[in-house]
């Protein structure tokens, strides 16, 4: 794994008044800030600031590079030896050791703990035994601590993509304090990243300050970050325009109309594609959606090009498959006719299915999902001749809790942002039987076999071919309808400089700087 090029970077001097704490738009995390239990975007970007894993991802193109790991070596893509860089500590001053990783991974994998990120560890030998719902086995056989800075990972079969996954939050380390008193940790998380936890007010804010003993070469220049929780995007946008909020990941769609954002935010926006897709998925535990013809018909009734033009003013890309551009292993046109606007064929399939009743769509609305979901409903109603309505859910946390409890019987928004830059990450977490993020309960043994074969392929190129076969099979079943590949128009206050949105739709907190008073006035 490549090491960062800035290994000799000097740590910036700390200011005494915390004047460079920036404010960052956020959504309420679903769970306590535990790496292995955080899989939604509102929590993940906080976790990413609090923790550092074995590898990190380049803010420009997402290629992996060593972080806490000094080296990750393998001869067969099944047994990996990890050696840690010295000097890493948690925010309570305790050292980051090999056991910090091994104990964290075992805890996350243990079935009775019900960690949402557990399946990211499923390639490790012994996972299934540890992950059983009533398991009394506490440690995976594939994890062995060799010494304080070295541990060995043995996978159940070769997995060439495994090193790429290790920057995902499920692989972050945990301090001994977590295991001693999880309840106290949840109130005051302790990470090993560039920012340390200060305070949290639910549905209002999460405040982090820079950790000056951070061992990474990429020490931030800012003194901290306050994630401000907004009920909706409109207020956040107006706050950025007025310099009351420093950074917003995505502007509301109405700000794109007639280029309004160009007048509101001159030289303070950035439009870039990132490793994400927006989609809608079916609750397959609801018998109304068990017929694949219903799902295929709804997909073909959606005019993606019209949606992109009307809602996004052309700022997004209609989806033709489950994997976005720029992801390794991705090929074009995987959805074929099923991802095209074919209303006549859609009506034919829908009528043949015998579907009864209205169609409902649902999503959280503390991110800007309402307008495009309403447009999907309109397109479905027109194409299929059936009533479709959008049912909003107030926050991401509430939305995820209802999904995980199988309390959602409407077709639900299921967007995905990559945990790591691989085609595998857009398939296994959502479509493998029993996967943590397979909240619609999709299951196809043939897809499971293809994914397993791809995982254990001897080369990346061979693996990609089988992942592509699995993607085509999933699209035929259509448990999830791809709608559009994500790009984002981020916006910032006049005092921010060196702004770099990364490929995961987050601000790069390591390069951003804050202008001094004179610079801010003239920017």
């Amino acid at each position: 794994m490549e090491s960062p090029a800035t290994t000799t970077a000097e740590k910036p001097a700390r200011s005494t008044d915390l004047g460079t704490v920036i404010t960052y738009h956020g959504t309420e995390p679903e769970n306590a800030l535990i790496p292995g239990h955080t899989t939604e975007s509102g929590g993940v970007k906080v976790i990413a600031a609090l923790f550092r894993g074995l590898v990190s991802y380049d803010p420009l193109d997402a290629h992996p590079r060593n972080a806490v790991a000094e080296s990750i070596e393998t001869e067969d893509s099944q047994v990996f030896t990890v050696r840690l860089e010295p000097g890493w500590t948690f925010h309570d001053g305790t050292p980051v050791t090999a056991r910090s990783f091994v104990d964290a991974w075992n805890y996350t994998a243990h079935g009775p703990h019900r960690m949402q990120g557990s399946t990211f560890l499923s390639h490790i030998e012994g996972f299934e035994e540890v992950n059983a719902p009533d398991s009394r086995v506490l440690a995976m056989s594939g994890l062995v601590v060799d010494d304080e800075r070295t541990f060995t990972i043995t996978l159940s079969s070769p997995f060439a993509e495994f090193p790429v996954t290790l920057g995902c939050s499920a692989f972050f380390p945990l301090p001994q304090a977590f295991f001693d008193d999880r309840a106290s940790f949840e109130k005051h998380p302790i990470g090993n990243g560039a920012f340390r936890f200060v305070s949290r007010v639910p549905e209002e804010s999460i405040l982090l300050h820079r950790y000056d003993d951070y061992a990474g070469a990429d020490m931030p220049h800012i003194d901290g970050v306050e994630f401000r929780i907004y009920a909706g995007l409109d207020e956040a946008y107006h706050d950025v325009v007025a310099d009351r909020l420093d950074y917003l990941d995505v502007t509301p769609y109405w700000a794109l109309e007639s280029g309004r954002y160009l007048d509101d935010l001159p030289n303070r926006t950035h439009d870039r594609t990132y490793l994400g897709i927006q989609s809608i998925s079916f609750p397959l535990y609801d018998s109304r959606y068990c017929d694949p013809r219903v799902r295929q018909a709804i997909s073909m009734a959606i005019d993606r090009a019209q949606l992109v033009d009307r809602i996004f003013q052309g700022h997004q890309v209609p989806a033709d498959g489950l994997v976005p551009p720029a992801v390794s292993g991705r090929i074009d046109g995987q959805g074929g006719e099923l991802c095209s606007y074919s209303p006549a064929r859609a009506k034919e399939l829908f009528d043949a299915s015998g579907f009864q009743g209205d169609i409902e769509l649902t999503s959280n609305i503390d991110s800007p999902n309402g307008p495009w979901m309403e447009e999907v409903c309109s397109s479905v109603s027109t194409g299929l001749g059936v009533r479709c309505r959008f049912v909003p859910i107030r926050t991401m946390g509430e939305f995820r809790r209802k999904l995980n409890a199988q309390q959602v019987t409407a077709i639900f928004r299921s967007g995905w942002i990559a945990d790591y830059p691989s085609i595998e990450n857009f398939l296994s977490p959502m479509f493998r039987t029993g996967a943590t993020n397979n909240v619609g309960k999709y299951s196809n043994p043939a897809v499971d076999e293809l994914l397993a074969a791809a995982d254990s392929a001897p080369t990346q190129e061979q693996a990609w071919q089988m992942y592509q076969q699995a993607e085509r099979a999933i699209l035929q079943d259509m448990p999830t309808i791809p709608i559009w590949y994500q790009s984002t128009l981020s916006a910032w206050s006049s005092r921010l400089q060196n702004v770099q949105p990364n490929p995961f739709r987050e601000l790069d907190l390591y390069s951003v700087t804050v202008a001094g008073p004179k610079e801010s006035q003239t920017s």
Side-chain angles (χ1 to χ4, degrees):
M1 198 68 65
E2 182 179 340
S3 297
T6 57
T7 55
T8 60
E10 294 183 3
K11 297 180 180 180
R14 183 176 178 81
S15 70
T16 57
D17 61 358
L18 293 177
T20 60
V21 173
I22 69 169
T23 53
Y24 190 159
H25 170 262
T27 54
E28 181 67 14
E30 176 187 4
N31 299 313
L33 296 169
I34 301 170
H37 202 39
T38 303
T39 57
E40 43 72 36
S41 58
V44 164
K45 65 184 176 186
V46 182
I47 290 287
L50 285 169
F51 290 85
R52 206 50 146 175
L54 294 172
V55 306
S56 61
Y57 302 112
D58 185 271
L60 292 177
D61 63 9
H63 75 264
R65 55 193 186 183
N66 285 347
V68 180
E70 181 179 271
S71 61
I72 302 171
E73 298 178 347
T74 185
E75 294 181 355
D76 58 4
S77 294
Q78 184 168 5
V79 179
F80 297 82
T81 300
V82 178
R83 180 76 172 165
L84 305 184
E85 286 275 6
W88 283 84
T89 60
F90 290 104
H91 302 152
D92 61 359
T94 58
V96 177
T97 67
R99 187 157 295 284
S100 305
F101 285 94
V102 169
D103 288 351
W105 298 2
N106 280 326
Y107 189 96
T108 297
H110 190 48
H113 293 150
R114 303 177 72 178
M115 295 283 104
Q116 289 190 4
S118 63
T119 55
F120 286 108
L121 304 161
S122 61
H123 296 283
I124 299 173
E125 186 179 80
F127 172 82
E128 291 185 2
E129 187 177 12
V130 171
N131 192 243
D134 58 352
S135 177
R136 296 184 179 181
V137 181
L138 301 178
M140 291 179 280
S141 57
L143 296 177
V144 176
V145 174
D146 301 315
D147 59 45
E148 190 171 75
R149 289 176 48 209
T150 311
F151 66 104
T152 301
I153 308 165
T154 301
L155 308 183
S156 54
S157 60
F159 180 32
E161 296 280 272
F162 185 69
V164 180
T165 73
L166 293 175
C168 169
S169 59
F171 291 98
F172 290 168
L174 285 169
Q176 185 58 42
F178 171 83
F179 305 102
D180 292 341
D181 189 344
R182 174 175 165 175
S184 293
F185 180 95
E186 290 186 2
K187 294 177 182 176
H188 192 106
I190 299 167
N192 68 316
F195 296 90
R196 58 180 177 83
F197 180 85
V198 176
S199 63
R200 178 178 182 180
V201 180
E203 299 194 23
E204 185 175 318
S205 66
I206 300 170
L207 177 62
L208 312 180
H209 286 170
R210 192 175 67 196
Y211 178 52
D212 284 341
D213 290 327
Y214 172 65
D218 51 352
M219 175 67 84
H221 299 275
I222 56 174
D223 285 309
V225 55
E226 178 190 355
F227 294 94
R228 290 187 180 171
I229 312 303
Y230 284 81
L233 202 62
D234 291 359
E235 182 184 358
Y237 178 81
H238 291 306
D239 279 357
V240 168
V241 172
D243 277 344
R244 292 188 295 264
L245 177 70
D246 285 319
Y247 191 78
L248 181 63
D249 288 317
V250 54
T251 58
Y253 306 138
W254 52 261
L256 303 176
E257 296 176 2
S258 303
R260 171 176 173 169
Y261 70 93
L262 295 172
D263 294 325
D264 288 345
L265 296 155
N267 302 313
R268 291 162 54 191
T269 60
H270 183 76
D271 196 354
R272 74 160 294 168
T273 57
Y274 62 95
L275 306 181
I277 184 173
Q278 281 289 5
S279 54
I280 57 176
S281 291
F282 295 88
L284 297 180
Y285 45 82
D286 187 321
S287 60
R288 294 178 300 163
Y289 298 112
C290 287
D291 189 333
R293 292 175 297 181
V294 172
R295 307 192 295 266
Q296 293 170 347
I298 292 173
S299 177
M300 289 188 286
I302 299 170
D303 190 339
R304 294 164 176 80
Q306 179 174 276
L307 182 153
V308 166
D309 286 341
R310 282 186 177 177
I311 305 300
F312 308 119
Q313 310 298 304
H315 279 259
Q316 309 290 349
V317 178
D320 61 358
L322 296 167
V323 183
V327 173
S328 61
R330 191 256 189 192
I331 57 173
D332 296 340
Q334 288 281 68
E337 183 189 28
L338 293 176
C339 287
S340 68
Y341 180 51
S342 306
R345 177 61 175 153
K347 186 74 163 61
E348 178 185 345
L349 281 176
F350 189 76
D351 290 346
S353 75
F355 185 91
Q356 298 294 315
D358 296 341
I359 293 174
E360 289 186 348
L361 270 61
T362 190
S363 172
N364 62 301
I365 55 169
D366 53 349
S367 291
N369 300 305
W372 73 265
M373 292 287 276
E374 294 275 12
E375 181 67 23
V376 168
C377 258
S378 175
S379 190
V380 168
S381 291
T382 301
L384 301 182
V386 62
R387 184 179 180 226
C388 178
R389 62 192 184 96
F390 174 59
V391 181
I393 295 176
R394 189 170 62 90
T395 68
M396 171 68 85
E398 181 185 0
F399 177 54
R400 291 289 303 186
R401 284 190 290 273
K402 287 184 174 181
L403 284 175
N404 291 329
Q406 294 186 28
Q407 295 173 350
V408 172
T409 56
I411 303 170
F412 56 89
R413 186 186 67 83
S414 54
W416 186 257
I417 300 172
D419 298 287
Y420 44 90
S422 166
I423 182 176
E424 184 270 341
N425 186 235
F426 284 87
L427 303 178
S428 292
M430 286 78 72
F431 303 111
R432 195 188 293 265
T433 300
T436 301
N437 286 286
N438 185 355
V439 292
K441 303 304 176 184
Y442 170 70
S443 180
N444 182 334
V447 168
D448 292 340
E449 289 179 10
L450 281 168
L451 291 174
D455 288 348
S456 59
T459 67
Q460 273 193 325
E461 289 73 19
Q462 289 171 293
W464 291 344
Q465 291 177 10
M466 282 180 278
Y467 287 130
Q468 291 158 8
Q469 291 179 46
E471 182 187 5
R472 287 191 291 273
I474 295 164
L475 286 165
Q476 283 297 313
D477 289 339
M478 200 59 76
T480 289
I481 297 176
I483 307 294
W484 42 275
Y485 299 126
Q486 299 193 41
S487 68
T488 185
L489 185 73
S490 53
W492 54 89
S493 70
S494 61
R495 73 182 193 132
L496 291 197
Q497 296 183 341
N498 300 307
V499 176
Q500 176 60 60
N502 70 26
F504 301 94
R505 204 189 67 178
E506 299 166 0
L507 172 64
D508 179 35
L509 297 173
Y510 304 89
S511 60
V512 67
T513 59
V514 174
K518 291 183 179 179
E519 294 171 291
S520 180
Q521 290 169 8
T522 58
S523 61

